[in-house]
Each structure stands twice: as C-alpha cells, then as structure tokens.
Amino acid sequence: MTAEPDAAPAAKADPASPVRSGRSGMIRSSMIYSGLTLVSRVMGFARDLAITYRMGASATFAADAFNTAFAFPNLFRRIFAEGAFAAAFVPAYARSLERDGEEVADILAADAMATLAAATLALTVFAELTMPWLMFLIAPGFAANPAKFKLAIFLTQITMPYLPCMAIYAHLSGVLNARNRFVLSGAAPILLNLWTLVTVLPATTPVAAAKAASIGVILAGVSQAGLLWWGVNRSGARVDWRWPRLTPEIRKLIALAVPGAIAASVSQINVFVSGVLVSPINGARSWLSVCDRLYQLPQGLVGVAIGVALLPRLSRAVQAEDHPGARSAMDEAITFAMALTLPAAAALFAIPFFLIDGLFTRGAFHVSDAHQVALALRQYGWGVPAFVLSQIVTRAFFARQDTRTPMRYAIVSVVVNIAAGVTLFHFIGVQGIAAATSLASWVNVLMMAWTLHQRGDYSPTGRAWSKLARILAASVALGLLLGAVSHERPLVEAVIGHLPIAGRHAKEIAILAVLVLAGAAYPFLLFASGGLTLAEMRAATRRRG
C-alpha cells in the first residue's frame, strides 16, 4: 500500500503492482485509515465540546437548529460517500483498472464525477428553494417555536452546498481507494473540525455560534474537495471535469448505485427518522447529536475503515472466483472489527453518564442534559456492533454487484425503526428512539447474514466463531470492570480532587483516567482470552508483497 500519493503517473498499471494485485494488507490499510479517522474524531470531539459549550442543548434552541442544519446535508453525504460509491463505483473502477488499464478507467471516473456533481447540485438548488416547506418534513416539531423554525431554515440553506462538495470528495476518495491510497481519504475530514473550531469559538451568543458553525461547514466542504482533487492528480489518475454523459457504463453505475445507496445508509436513515420523531422536545436533537459522536465513533473508525479496505480486496477475489480468499477476507474483517468494536460497546453500556458528565457538562450544557444523553447512549450501546457489522456485511453483496437485496432489507429496517421508535418513544421517551435504532440495525444485519449463508456466499468458519466468542468474553469482562469503577465514581473523583494538578477538573481527569485504564486493560483481556494473538496482529498489519 502506498502511504501517500505517488507523483509518478503511469500510462498503464503494472500487473504486479498493489493497484492490480491487491496484495497490500487489508487490515494495515484500514488501520492507516482508522488512525487518520481517529485524529479527525479527536478533533471532532473538540469541535463538539466547543459547540455544546457555546450553544448548549435544552437551554437554548440554537443547538437544535444547527444540528438539524448539519444533519440534513450530512444524511445525503453519508448516502453518496458510504452507499452509492461503495456499492457501484469502487468495484467498477477497480475492475476497469484490472481489465482495461488506467486511461479507460479514468474516463469512467470522470463521467461518473460529472453525473454525480450535476445530480447533487440539482438536489441542492431544489432544497434551497423549498427549505421553508421541507423543514416541516425534516423537523416538524420545530414549528411550535417560530424563532427556532426560522433559524433552522436559514442555517440549513447555508449548509446545503456542503452536499455537492462532499459528493465530489467521496467520488475522488473512491478513485484513490481503488488504487490502494487511503491517506488523504482519512485525513480530509480533519478539515471540517478545524474550520468549525475556527468559526465557532469567537462567537459570543448561541445563535451567533450556530450561524458561524454553519459557515464553517461550507468552508470545510470546499477545502476537502480541493484536497482530494490534488491527491488524485498526484496519484497519476486523470479524472477531468466534463459535461455529464449518460453512457452505458454510467447507466449501469446508476442502476447499481441507487439501491446500494439506500442499503449502505440504513443507519443514517434511521438516525434521520429518529431526529424527526424527537423534534417536538426542545434539546432532544442535540442530545441525540451528542450520542452520535460517541456511538458512531466505532462505525467511523472501524466499520467504514475496514469496509473501505475490504471492498477492493473482496471484489478482486469474487472476480477471480477465489472463494477461499473471499471467505478469508470476510473472516478477517469481522474478527478485527469486533475486536475493536465490542469493548467500545461495553463502555457505552456500562458508564454512559460517567462519560457524558465528565466530557460535556459545562457552559450551556447542563447536568440534566447529561442524564438524558446517558439514557439514550446506553440504548445505542448494544446496537454498536450491528452498526459496524452492517458496513462490512453489505460489502459482501456489493462485491457481487448485488445492491438490491441489501436495499430491500434496509427498507425493512427503516420500517422496524419507525414502528419501534413511535411505540417506545410513547413509553420511555427519547431513549426509546435510541433503542429502536439499535433494534432496527440488528434486524438488518441478521437478515443480510442469513441470506449470505443461504446462498453459500459466506458463513464464518468455526475458527472465526471461536475468536468472536473469546472477544465477547474479554469485552464483557471489561464492561464489568468499568461498571465497578463507575459505581465508585465519588471515591475516584475525591482521590483525584486532592491531587495538585486536579483543581476544579476532577471529573474530567477521572473519566480520562478511567478510559486510559480501560485502554490498557483490554489488550491484556483480549490476548488472555485468545481472541487475538500478537502473531495475528503482526501478520494482519504488516505490508504484504
């Protein structure tokens, strides 16, 4: 795998190169992507701290308005970035590189980018013109507060151009990923966090902060698309700007991409539905947004990263009818994904209030907000493995150019989410929305897994099942340890409060210390249980070929 864009173009890729053979380590590629994503998420956490500090949650309507304005174009960003192109473009481009050479593949990429840019620009213009009416669909509960409703419309009109920027970014990211270049794809999201921090920190009122953050989103979109454009040119690809053409290849991509976009974006659609259901409660959109930052962390760091690295390798194995290779790739992806995901799920389930209160309660974000977020976060916790698995299992269909089956299951999942969400929201409030999202995600994953088994396309080996059981045991042990520490939180904070460096930040230092303890304890539990071995880690992360 190439660590950074190579400046030397080639008229035709060498058959033995990583672009052609796919011999770069899948897990190594995903770990590079994850490492950069981790940097982005850490900065995103700083961004969220600044946003919650300036805008609050239930104490003001500015935070709900901004989170809605960011979520709407972001919904389509996730659909185009992690759905349509994962489903259609990356396998098609990788096959064209293998079969036709770089020149023909780059023509396909340029035509696809032109079509995508035109479609997202049209969608953006439509949304801009109809936003006063669309807001009744996006957040109907806001209508009870005219000032909040008007601000949400204004902010969403500011953020909508983020969509075409991100669609272009996603497309160019697919070009680089198909060439086994993952650095810029993982690094570009850092720009969103930088621009948001630069714009929101100087603001002095919640409404001013919301407007400034929305402008930061647009600046970030332009910067991210520009960075990927530079990276593609440096890689040797030639993806030129042109007018859209509905060639036979593009028509085929569209036919695959539409159902694939729905299938790969089911969790984001469920999040959007959740936002609609809770919109009548002031602060609820912001509570769920804070939850998103934590429970979607494994999905971004693990699910998307491994899925991005898995798809080219799996597509090549399927194309070559290498069934053992395809099964091995899936086993490796799922095992490593769960080794990194299950401990995170255990932490979210065991210490949700400890996390939220220690990290977010300050400024305009109150303890009452932290309690509401913690109730929802615990319900998301048991859904985290499904959120990650869905990113991996859908790739088994996409690599076989089957996007319709995951789409059908995605629709079923959305129906389950709506039905369960309405029911549970009536009985247990906002946390019921989170529980419904987790339930719907598990339904989606189990349906896809059963179909792969029935078709004979994939079933985990006995060794993989054994590994997963051991990883689960290590994660449960970690959850019990964290639960015990959380029970003794007053004692922990009292001890830390007596340290000279603590000052008034005992709760912040306490939660950071607990997270460091968990990070140190889990590898020991994992290796002791036999979930993974050091030899397996070295084999998976070293560069091959």
Side-chain angles (χ1 to χ4, degrees), residues 23 28 39 44 443 453:
R23 290 181 294 176
R28 183 177 186 271
V39 174
V443 168
H453 170 73

Side-chain angles (χ1 to χ4, degrees), residues 382-412:
W382 58 272
V384 163
F387 303 147
V388 171
L389 284 171
S390 68
Q391 294 290 331
I392 296 172
V393 178
T394 52
R395 266 61 178 188
F397 291 92
F398 296 165
R400 294 169 173 84
Q401 292 192 298
D402 178 6
T403 58
R404 294 187 178 275
T405 300
M407 181 193 70
R408 290 197 296 269
Y409 293 156
I411 293 172
V412 172

Side-chain angles (χ1 to χ4, degrees), residues 331-529:
D331 275 354
E332 188 177 87
I334 290 174
T335 299
F336 274 86
M338 291 300 98
L340 297 171
T341 299
L342 289 176
L348 296 182
F349 192 83
I351 56 169
F353 180 71
F354 197 173
L355 275 170
I356 299 301
D357 188 45
L359 296 176
F360 286 94
T361 303
R362 64 183 57 82
F365 193 87
H366 301 157
V367 173
S368 58
D369 295 317
H371 278 292
Q372 291 294 330
V373 173
L375 289 173
L377 191 60
R378 174 166 279 148
Q379 298 298 336
Y380 281 126
W382 58 272
V384 163
F387 303 147
V388 171
L389 284 171
S390 68
Q391 294 290 331
I392 296 172
V393 178
T394 52
R395 266 61 178 188
F397 291 92
F398 296 165
R400 294 169 173 84
Q401 292 192 298
D402 178 6
T403 58
R404 294 187 178 275
T405 300
M407 181 193 70
R408 290 197 296 269
Y409 293 156
I411 293 172
V412 172
S413 174
V414 171
V415 172
V416 169
N417 186 44
I418 294 173
V422 171
T423 302
L424 294 174
F425 182 56
H426 176 73
F427 288 104
I428 58 176
V430 174
Q431 63 176 311
I433 299 295
T437 301
S438 293
L439 173 64
S441 293
W442 274 114
V443 168
N444 184 49
V445 167
L446 292 174
M447 287 190 297
M448 287 193 291
W450 177 250
T451 299
L452 290 173
H453 170 73
Q454 288 290 93
R455 292 178 178 177
D457 288 335
Y458 174 69
S459 295
T461 61
R463 185 172 183 274
W465 280 117
S466 175
K467 290 286 185 183
L468 291 172
R470 294 166 187 266
I471 291 167
L472 177 61
S475 300
V476 170
L478 178 67
L480 293 173
L481 174 64
L482 289 173
V485 174
S486 181
H487 185 265
E488 299 299 330
R489 179 186 175 187
L491 177 61
V492 172
E493 292 185 358
V495 172
I496 290 176
H498 286 91
L499 298 176
I501 62 171
R504 296 180 298 172
H505 303 290
K507 68 185 182 75
E508 288 86 355
I509 296 175
I511 188 58
L512 291 177
V514 168
L515 293 176
V516 170
L517 171 66
Y522 178 67
F524 173 79
L525 295 170
L526 182 63
F527 294 138
S529 70

Side-chain angles (χ1 to χ4, degrees), residues 12-23 90-106 108 178-180 312-313 315-317 319-320:
K12 189 167 184 176
D14 185 86
S17 72
V19 172
R20 290 273 177 170
S21 67
R23 290 181 294 176
V90 173
Y93 185 71
R95 280 193 300 272
S96 186
L97 280 173
E98 292 276 354
R99 184 184 62 230
D100 308 317
E102 292 190 6
E103 184 176 351
V104 173
D106 288 345
L108 172 66
R179 291 168 171 264
N180 287 324
R313 173 179 167 183
S315 298
R316 286 188 290 266
Q319 181 76 8

Side-chain angles (χ1 to χ4, degrees), residues 239-277:
V239 184
D240 300 320
W241 292 100
R242 59 181 62 195
W243 288 104
R245 301 186 304 164
L246 287 179
T247 64
E249 293 80 10
I250 295 302
R251 292 178 187 274
K252 184 178 180 181
L253 279 178
I254 293 172
L256 290 171
V258 171
I262 297 172
S265 306
V266 61
S267 64
Q268 298 306 316
I269 294 171
N270 284 336
V271 168
F272 177 75
V273 170
S274 299
V276 173
L277 292 175

Side-chain angles (χ1 to χ4, degrees), residues 11-86:
K12 189 167 184 176
D14 185 86
S17 72
V19 172
R20 290 273 177 170
S21 67
R23 290 181 294 176
S24 294
M26 178 185 68
I27 300 301
R28 183 177 186 271
S29 298
S30 64
M31 288 184 70
I32 290 174
Y33 190 97
S34 293
L36 291 165
T37 303
L38 178 60
V39 174
S40 174
R41 293 305 174 108
V42 170
M43 294 189 64
F45 171 66
R47 180 194 75 185
D48 285 351
L49 289 180
I51 288 173
T52 55
Y53 183 81
R54 294 295 190 198
M55 302 183 208
S58 58
T60 172
F61 59 75
D64 277 357
F66 169 74
N67 286 317
T68 299
F70 182 63
F72 187 63
N74 204 45
L75 167 68
F76 293 99
R77 178 187 74 84
R78 294 291 179 91
I79 289 174
F80 283 109
E82 296 163 16
F85 287 98

